[in-house]
Amino acid sequence: MITSELPVLQDSGESGQDTVSLSMSMSELDDSGDGKGRKKRGRPGKPPAPNKKPRKSPSEKGSAGAPRGRKANGMAQQYREGDPVTLFEVVKQGKSAMQSVVDDWIESYKQDRDIALLDLINFFIQCSGCKGTVRIEMFRNMQNAEIIRKMTEEFDEDSGDYPLTISGPLWKKFRYNFCEFISVLIRQCQYSIIYDEYMMDTVISLLTGLSDSQVRAFRHTSTLAAMKLMTALVNVALNLSIHQDNTQRQYEAERNKMVGKRANEKLELLLQKRKELQENQDEIENMMNSIFKGIFVHRYRDAIAEIRAICIEEIGVWMKMYSDAFLNDSYLKYVGWTLHDRQGEVRLKCLKALQNLYTNRELFPKLELFTNRFKDRIVSMTLDKEYDVAVEAIRLVTLILQGSEDALSNEDCENVYHLVYSAHRPVAVAAGEFLHRKLFSRHDPQAEEALAKRRGRSSPNGNLIRMLVLFFLESELHEHAAYLVDSLWESSHELLKDWECMTELLLEEPVQGEEVLSDRQEGALIELTVCTIRQAAEAHPPVGRGTGKRVLTAKERKTQIDDKNKLTEHFIMALPMLLSKYQTDSEKVANLLQIPQFFDLDVYSAGRMEKHLDALLKQIKFVVEKHTDTEVLEACSKTYSILCSEEYTIMNRVDIARSQLIDELADRFNHSVEELLQAGEEADDDDIYNVLSTLKRLTAFHNAHDLTRWDFFGNCYRLLRTGIEQGSMPEQIAVQALQCSHYSILWQLVKITEGSPSKDDLLALRRVVKSFLAVCQQCLSNVNTPVKEQAFMLLCDLLMIFSHQLTTGAREGLQPLVFNPDSTLQNELLNFVLDHAFIDQDDENQSIGDEEDEANKIEALHKRRNLLAAFSKLIIYDIVDMPAAADIFKHYMKYYNDYGDIIKETLSKTRQTDKILCAKTLILSLQQLFNELIQDQGPTLDRTSSHVSGIKELARRFALTFGLDQIKTREAVATLHKDGIEFAFKYQNPKGPEYPPPNLAFLEVLCEFSSKLLRQDKKTVHSYLEKFMTEQMMERREDIWLPLISYRNSLLTGGDEDRMSINSGSSSSKAGSVRSKKGRPPMHKRRIEEESVEGSWMMRNDTLQTPGALQTPQLTSTVLRENPRQAAEHMPDQDSEPGSESDFVHNPQMQMSWLGQQKMEELNRKERTAMNYMKARSGGVRQTVRGLMEDDAEPIFEDVMMSSRGQLEDMSEEFEDTMVIDLPPSRNRRERAELRPDFFDSAAMIEDESGFTMPMF
């Protein structure tokens, strides 16, 4: 509500002294003057000019009574009856040209300015989204503050939206039309109406009052209108200033004439015109001063970011449009202060406003003081958290650099330089533009071209490319050359595509005046050259920058084709020479060999350049013979693979060269292997080197080429068998032999799957795979770690490839190739992972070395993660039995930072495969940790120790992964509790029955899963727990029995049907959970439940006291009644633990339907149960609730409805105060099921408390 009067207009020269209220009373209107011609508005505080005619008051104009109808905007309008076609609707529809709309309004204003102004006032009110209408009586008899207060009361508070905030093309167009209407209105009224001391006073007064309103819609709309009004007035003032200057020049020219030629009448007219223009200028300045001081100064720091952004955007327009009046520190300071705004959109408007100013070089002197004051802030905004703001800040810094290179220090420039390596491409491209302007732009192109010609160079870019190399080396980010090239691609593409100049610098000797490139600089230049070639050929950003490959436009596609042809034609001739010069440098050669993959290989045959192809193949062969580095050999292999593509005519020529090379390597390898095996333990280093070097080359080529016709598997297998039998094979030879054998097997499998293999072919491959798997299994016990790791990875890969999925997709004929690992191999793989992945940091440092740097640590962690991921895949795809994952899951908390994501994904995928078996695996992992703790600390555990707390925290994390849909996980959770109870009571205390079982403390861990049980399942589990309890156990209350008491209370908490939760579990239930109000049942429903519960317990004659033995009911599912004999058959055997690990492994489906397997029958009963429930409610009398353990165990609908509140309790326990979710109590079970996502999807898996989200609510 408006609580104060509207601000008053103040004269810019006499602020605070001469003021006049813009909310004029009727008496003030009566004393005003009116004229038929152009009206002038006197200065505030001054009496009206004596030559002005008196102005009719609104009462005189409207003396006829009710306002008459008029034709405005081409349509009849009324204000009391009928549906009005208002100015707001006309502007909203935007069907009429704004010029004609304004002309119609002006015509209406000339006929009756009160009615026209009333239309304009209602226009602003309705544009704010207000449903109220200002009537003529209100306009004449009420102050503006009272009108605004009245409109505030009539504002629709049901929705927070109003025209300026509503999304959609219609309202976006309305905003544009709204601003255009104000601009055209002032433009059309600039010669007469705005000076009549009435229209502008009324509008400015109204907008000032609305901008001070507490209603956001009024404040936002009026501020936008006022700022656009101010912009229009600035344009009028600028035109007046131009007219004044022209009039003054005419006056001075006429006055300087000789007396005889001087026209005195013209001088008097010019003087009169100049005076009139000056008066108008004063009037406009008064209006602008009123808007600026009354609205802008208050609203540029408004609480709403959109309002602040409007103010900053418009003041930037004023400073650019009328720089003589506004471009000074008095106005610039507002933009400078707002650079620190909290909202990114406001900071963005500031930067864009400044960009418009710094674009004009003539304005730089006026911006010098501002630049010095706020330069540091602008430079720091290049690191803004909002990427859009950072991009505009970099562009602004670039404009400052263009205007004055001295304005930025070297430190300022360095802050922008490193942003070329940013992962966000717009930021990097903007930084590349800055870098180009600062370092890579030629200041005098003609002089540099002349200097290049004198030196014999074909390109003048030599010095710039050298500078680019130096910048790349000094940035010390040598693995990010592709990012640097991509950043500069748009601004410096001509420089980066000057491959002739790059090749000259690499191949030719430096001429006089040029420095010699160092070895490091040559390597950097080659790396940058390869990156520019890739960028030109692929025409998309490097990996990690950008959202993916976008569709190229026709122009971009043509540019890509031209660039590819250009680089191919150049490097077809230059690449052999480059390889010849740098063939001994492995790093440079590896980079150069990447170039052919970007060639257009048709150029070889189309341009008759086969001789250059032969030269390239010759150089590649030399490289293969000289190098044994894996990176270089793989680059050679890949180059051969690309050149051998079948779609090119050069394939035959390349295939011949490749076959000759492999023949030579095969002969050398076979010969060296024979010599090595014959020498045995007496083999010297030369024999080992000959085998190893040749084997490395063959392995690299076998990766990308089918070399099975040379049969390298036989000799590799011989080497491996010899190494196993004698134990003297060098580890590098063993690693390479394993890898080469692996490739050979895969190529044989490719041949079989692509063709029609015979049974003999399948059996032959099976023998090969079986023998190789046996060798890999034996290598797991090798003393050399690289050999063991290589064998492990190959075992996991081959077991995945030759698993049951090999026969899918109509490939049943490959069944003989399927291998299933036996228990011995599974245990060896598991032990290997536990020994090599889950190691302490101290052990790792000790094994690798104390001087290991951070890069080596990361590499070692990456290798361990690969080992764990390889084994986890075997578990996920049911190649290794799921219980083996228990040893992985138990390390979830301890190694969360290293492997948390892998273990979590494994848990998610295994749950999708088999929920019950996954739950049994989880409880098994907790049992293993508990047994380890018992062995370390003895049977008497310290329940407050960190080890016990760690197990409980792990159980809590496991419980979170079950999600909120208890219907889906009810059997899995119940099975988990069953196994946990059996484990807790597995052994009797040797001291006697009065002492707790040794594993009883495990129940405290099991408490973490109680919240995941449905209400009726809690009672079932509680009944199962009582089967293991004696009467003495129920009566014990010592601290040593607290795990049992806590677990019982967790099962009884929230159970209205069980009075024992009131007596024995009151303390724990109070601290257990906080139930939301919406989740509570109505009072009458709870009373009915209590009465029925009392009847149920009375019929069963059970005691209600805590220390007492309840009658053990028959174990029955809460969904389906189970045959008593079947239930008896499921009773555990006391001699051997039913949930033991041995039974678990051999019988993974054991007890899977403990809570009922016939879910289809449950679905068929849902409708019948709901109908029975509704009949019971409509009758007003509810039958006694049948006990869960009675013969007719049909589920109670009320319990199902209450399960949602149980979910809320679980959420409160798990996430404490991080979220409050209220489910409407009226929703039925089907509606809730539709709201729940699948929390067992890996993409929707529940995070920890810090990252948990609930998108469906």
Side-chain angles (χ1 to χ4, degrees), residues 62-91:
S63 58
R68 64 182 182 273
R70 63 182 178 85
K71 188 176 179 64
N73 305 322
M75 302 183 72
Q77 295 191 6
Q78 294 182 350
Y79 290 91
R80 288 189 176 179
E81 296 179 359
D83 295 328
V85 179
T86 62
L87 191 59
F88 166 73
E89 292 174 347
V90 174
V91 173

Side-chain angles (χ1 to χ4, degrees), residues 745-770:
I745 291 174
L746 295 183
W747 279 111
Q748 293 181 52
L749 179 62
V750 169
K751 278 187 176 181
I752 287 179
T753 54
E754 291 180 350
S756 300
S758 63
K759 186 176 182 180
D760 294 337
D761 295 335
L762 294 176
L763 294 178
L765 180 56
R766 179 177 177 82
R767 286 193 296 270
V768 170
V769 175
K770 185 176 181 180

